[in-house]
Amino acid sequence: MPYPPRLAHLATRAVVVAKLMPTYAQAHHIDEEEAAQRLSSALSGRMLPSLLEAAWDAMRGKAKRLTDDGLVEKVATTLSERPLRPGRMAPMSPALSAFFILVDLEVGTAGDAARRVMESDEGRRRGAEGLAEAGRFLAAELTRGK
């Protein structure tokens, strides 16, 4: 596994949904409950491990002084009091928008035009950039604590 198994035990699907939900809700102009349902559905498959891998890569790149165990402990400390605290609003970018399109495709709310675009070489590249951007945001949210 590309990230420590304990990270997946700490950053559960519910935790990741809580961190992404405010930005996703605002980007789609939907209420937070609907956003949470869509994100939870999208992250129930292969998308969650990919997102955790991107977040882990971002954490390791940012915290060069900490060991892997130290990074996981930092996540545990951050999540210890209120793990389901909603995340901050992420600044919208083309990359984050591409990630949200991937979420919409996973849930089935994106149209055929979006699917065709994301299946192209350029779309796959943008989707990978979006996953990395979402991973960086998630990494910041998971390590912003004490």
Side-chain angles (χ1 to χ4, degrees), residues 1-2 10 12 19 25 27 41 49-50 52 55 60 65 79-80 84 127:
M1 187 174 275
L10 294 167
T12 63
K19 302 306 179 195
S41 177
S50 298
L52 288 178
R60 291 190 75 206
R65 293 185 317 208
L79 297 176
S80 65
L84 299 180

Side-chain angles (χ1 to χ4, degrees), residues 1-3 7-8 11 13 16 20 42-59 99 102-103 106 127-139 142:
M1 187 174 275
Y3 51 87
L7 180 65
R13 180 173 52 167
V16 174
L20 296 175
L43 294 173
S44 65
R46 67 185 185 277
M47 188 174 263
L48 180 59
S50 298
L51 184 57
L52 288 178
E53 182 177 347
W56 182 248
D57 289 344
M59 282 186 243
F99 173 73
L102 292 175
V103 169
E106 195 72 25
E129 288 173 5
L131 186 63
E133 178 74 19
R136 284 189 291 276
F137 173 74
L138 183 59
L142 293 175

